[in-house]
Amino acid sequence: GRPPGTAISPRWRLLGQGRALAPMGAVCSASPRPAAKGRSPSADSGTPREPPVAWMTSSGLATERLVCEFIKVLLKRKGVFDGADTMADAATLRAKYADTLATIKALHMNDGNYHKDGDAARKGRANRVTFFWDLELIDRCGLKRENIRMIMLYEKPWLFDRPGEDGKYDPQAPGVAGVSAADRDRYYALLAKSKEVVDRIRAGERVPVPAGEKSIADQLAEASRRLDRKHLKALNTWCDKVFEEYDLVVGQGGDVVMLNLAFQVSPDFTRRLVRAVREGNVVFATMSASTMACSKTMEMTGEILTDSLDNFSVSAKYLTGGFDPIDLDGGGIETNVLGALPLYKSPFAMRPHFSEAWLEKVLSKNKTAEEEFELEMGVEVDDDLVASSCRGLEVALQLLNVISANAKEQDNPVYLPMLDGQAIQCLFLSDREVFSIVPNEFGDDYGTGTGAVIKGLPEWLPHWRCLRCLHRRDPKLLGMRVRDWGFGGRWA
């Protein structure tokens, strides 16, 4: 068998003009990368260093298998993982590598909860009714509390000395001198106003932006930019230290509009974060709302309330956090729903917490992406592949890998139907991004998970280990041929 994470793929040949397109994900062919600053190379000198990696999840590390796979990622980035432990479970890894895990430092971004009631947030943490990165990293991954720092971008940890708030962000004391009291007070007055408007909107009240006035988002963007540009040296010094010292950055869920706004009004930090992840200085992982903020659009959610976008999405002129020009040209995606953390170049959009209610809309969006790709590339994608992309994350990722590897100016994204309990891994190779689903149950190589099968998929799908086996079991699985999946199989 092959080690997990290796993609073995014949070259895709789509219909139409018969042009051979780039393979969907030749992970093995990536050229070795030099060790990132402050990181150890692989313990095995004959093995190339792991490429930069990021995870996107719907509901965090929801299963023991995901915990296990995530610990492996952290250990590989430290250069200490022993290949003999490939099949070890999470408990074994925590015990064997306890000393290393105790040294891993994590930065926990929690802006999705900034505009939520503090007491409710603390109660939720106490009851563990939802996934909180810091708590799970301690309890299930072996990290130490003193090595995890919770921040909120709204509180500008690179600029303001603040006492912190339990369950929201840790105390911060950057000690920056010369900050204008007027600039600081205006900024915090706008944050207070944003909380007031959020509360009114959540209460069902209409709060339109007054005619001729700037939205709160634009006012906040101006005030935030003024502060950061005046103290850019302090911001860069803070980022230099953090991205040198920390191994992992994680994004919490919460209110997707307000979390997205945090990145919109912090473009200088956003650029530094994207660079640190893509250069391999830190591992990056997101869940729910923070996953949506990384995609081309965060519109596919029932959580965006009336007047939220008008008040809390900045005008296009303030989107300066490292976007490609194609992201801002208004083709395919409106800028008011554009994910404000442009970590990925690949054209995808995300629907975490996916359910059958979204099937029709996802299929429609993916057909639009297919039509654009076929028109611009002059080749035809198998309609069965597109038709199946709304029913399974694995298939949607195959479609994304094909489009992202070959179409450089794709406006319409591929929508990824991510169920709770699923996770996506992205490897940043020298010439492309390669996406794959992370196995989330032991014995499961597809990340579907027991019981996590959308209507229309065979009940036995999670328990078969190889797509060739699937083909022998049902040659017409989802109306597709084995070659349409783009690789021969995946082994645990």
Side-chain angles (χ1 to χ4, degrees):
R2 295 178 182 265
T6 56
I8 38 199
S9 170
R11 290 184 68 81
W12 272 62
R13 185 174 297 275
L14 303 182
L15 304 178
Q17 297 179 2
R19 291 169 52 187
L21 301 183
M24 289 167 33
V27 176
C28 302
S29 67
S31 57
R33 290 174 177 265
K37 183 173 64 173
R39 300 291 181 267
S40 301
S42 172
D44 179 1
S45 59
T47 302
R49 174 174 160 71
E50 292 289 310
V53 61
W55 274 36
M56 295 179 284
T57 77
S58 177
S59 50
L61 305 179
T63 69
E64 279 302 297
R65 178 65 186 272
L66 286 182
V67 172
C68 181
E69 296 300 320
F70 194 67
I71 291 175
K72 291 177 188 177
V73 169
L74 298 178
L75 295 174
K76 288 177 181 178
R77 300 304 292 169
K78 281 291 199 180
V80 300
F81 182 70
D82 185 345
D85 296 323
T86 297
M87 302 303 294
D89 60 20
T92 300
L93 294 175
R94 285 194 299 267
K96 178 174 179 177
Y97 297 97
D99 290 345
T100 297
L101 293 171
T103 67
I104 291 177
K105 303 191 73 172
L107 190 71
H108 180 192
M109 299 186 299
N110 192 33
D111 288 270
N113 290 310
Y114 184 84
H115 290 81
K116 292 189 175 183
D117 178 72
D119 290 336
R122 286 183 283 275
K123 182 178 179 180
R125 287 171 61 84
N127 296 336
R128 305 295 280 268
V129 296
T130 190
F131 181 96
F132 288 92
W133 277 109
D134 59 326
L135 302 180
E136 301 296 333
L137 288 173
I138 295 168
D139 292 349
R140 302 174 72 191
C141 296
L143 275 64
K144 298 298 184 182
R145 174 63 185 95
E146 59 266 26
N147 289 334
I148 300 175
R149 182 178 180 184
M150 187 186 296
I151 67 168
M152 287 182 162
L153 304 187
Y154 285 121
E155 292 289 352
K156 295 191 178 296
W158 51 85
L159 189 58
F160 296 133
D161 294 349
R162 300 287 287 172
E165 182 178 351
D166 182 38
K168 287 199 166 186
Y169 71 103
D170 292 332
Q172 57 193 50
V176 178
V179 178
S180 163
D183 287 347
R184 181 196 60 210
D185 292 347
R186 171 171 169 72
Y187 176 74
Y188 274 106
L190 287 168
L191 283 178
K193 184 178 180 181
S194 72
K195 289 184 177 182
E196 175 191 336
V197 173
V198 166
D199 289 341
R200 291 169 61 191
I201 290 175
R202 288 174 180 167
E205 184 179 344
R206 289 297 309 273
V207 191
V209 177
E213 294 187 13
K214 291 181 179 179
S215 67
I216 298 175
D218 284 355
Q219 295 178 60
L220 194 58
E222 289 180 352
S224 177
R225 178 182 293 193
R226 182 182 299 109
L227 283 163
D228 287 346
R229 292 299 167 86
K230 279 186 177 181
H231 303 281
L232 190 58
K233 182 178 179 180
L235 184 150
N236 283 327
T237 298
W238 186 88
C239 288
D240 288 343
K241 183 176 187 299
V242 165
F243 295 134
E244 170 72 25
E245 183 178 340
Y246 284 72
D247 307 283
L248 171 66
V249 178
V250 293
Q252 190 63 36
D255 186 318
V256 65
V257 174
M258 305 314 296
L259 185 149
N260 208 52
L261 179 62
F263 290 113
Q264 289 178 336
V265 302
S266 307
D268 295 297
F269 168 82
T270 299
R271 277 191 292 268
R272 291 299 306 270
L273 173 60
V274 168
R275 190 173 81 187
V277 176
R278 294 186 68 90
E279 292 182 353
N281 285 74
V282 293
V283 173
F284 188 60
T286 56
M287 64 166 290
S288 190
S290 57
T291 291
M292 296 181 76
C294 294
S295 68
K296 295 300 181 183
T297 172
M298 48 85 171
E299 65 180 328
M300 194 174 287
T301 173
E303 301 172 6
I304 299 178
L305 302 176
T306 303
D307 295 331
S308 287
L309 291 177
D310 289 343
N311 280 284
F312 300 119
S313 185
V314 300
S315 301
K317 67 180 181 180
Y318 296 109
L319 295 174
T320 59
F323 296 94
D324 288 336
I326 195 171
D327 293 332
L328 305 176
D329 66 4
I333 298 298
E334 297 295 332
T335 56
N336 68 337
V337 293
L338 183 66
L341 180 56
L343 174 63
Y344 304 98
K345 303 298 183 183
S346 299
F348 71 85
M350 184 64 64
R351 174 54 210 171
H353 317 301
F354 190 71
S355 68
E356 291 185 53
W358 296 95
L359 281 173
E360 185 176 344
K361 188 169 185 177
V362 168
L363 178 58
S364 174
K365 295 286 188 179
N366 285 350
K367 284 182 176 179
T368 301
E370 172 206 17
E371 290 168 359
E372 180 189 353
F373 177 77
E374 291 177 338
L375 180 64
E376 294 193 1
M377 295 297 296
V379 294
E380 184 178 342
V381 179
D382 192 325
D383 289 339
D384 289 337
L385 176 65
V386 180
S388 302
S389 65
C390 68
R391 292 187 174 276
L393 182 58
E394 180 83 13
V395 187
L397 289 175
Q398 306 305 319
L399 179 62
L400 173 62
N401 281 332
V402 170
I403 290 180
S404 65
N406 296 281
K408 305 306 180 186
E409 296 186 358
Q410 178 86 8
D411 280 312
N412 293 285
V414 175
Y415 276 72
L416 305 178
M418 179 183 280
L419 298 167
D420 283 344
Q422 290 186 315
I424 296 169
Q425 177 173 279
C426 176
L427 298 180
F428 298 94
L429 306 186
S430 58
D431 61 343
R432 74 185 63 181
E433 299 164 350
V434 177
F435 297 86
S436 61
I437 197 166
V438 181
N440 71 354
E441 295 290 353
F442 290 98
D444 163 30
D445 298 316
Y446 306 101
T448 50
T450 303
V453 181
I454 292 180
K455 182 179 179 181
L457 292 183
E459 291 295 332
W460 43 264
L461 179 59
H463 310 294
W464 286 76
R465 304 175 67 81
C466 170
L467 286 173
R468 286 176 178 153
C469 295
L470 290 176
H471 187 252
R472 287 196 292 270
R473 177 69 179 254
D474 183 355
K476 295 183 179 179
L477 176 67
L478 300 179
M480 297 171 60
R481 297 169 292 282
V482 168
R483 70 173 179 84
D484 292 327
W485 293 77
F487 57 92
R490 182 185 290 172
W491 286 256

